[in-house]
Amino acid sequence: MSTERPAAEELRQGMTVEIVQEDADVRSTDEEPIHGEIGTVYGDDPDGPRVKLKSGVVGHVQSVVVDE
């Protein structure tokens, strides 16, 4: 996984990313990140690019998951 947050224009539908749910505190160390495929990219936000996963979860991208 990348330690640098991607910009919204670097993301595309179908990419697997790690997000923090929109209603969660992105700065909290207690929140578990969610992995999933991007369904929709909404745009950049101070907390990271805002996306909707194919599962329906909306959140802010923390990193792109790289297949090993």
Side-chain angles (χ1 to χ4, degrees):
M1 271 189 288
S2 171
T3 57
E4 192 173 311
R5 234 187 290 186
E9 61 267 6
E10 297 175 73
L11 302 173
R12 63 188 181 282
Q13 189 174 9
M15 289 178 80
T16 302
V17 293
E18 180 178 275
I19 71 165
V20 173
Q21 263 186 292
E22 189 167 69
D23 58 354
D25 179 1
V26 296
R27 292 169 199 84
S28 173
T29 57
D30 296 334
E31 296 294 331
E32 287 293 319
I34 298 168
H35 291 189
E37 287 186 39
I38 296 174
T40 305
V41 178
Y42 293 116
D44 279 315
D45 192 87
D47 294 325
R50 185 172 176 259
V51 299
K52 181 175 185 178
L53 300 181
K54 289 184 177 179
S55 65
V57 178
V58 176
H60 300 279
V61 175
Q62 300 303 298
S63 63
V64 174
V65 177
V66 179
D67 294 331
E68 294 181 28

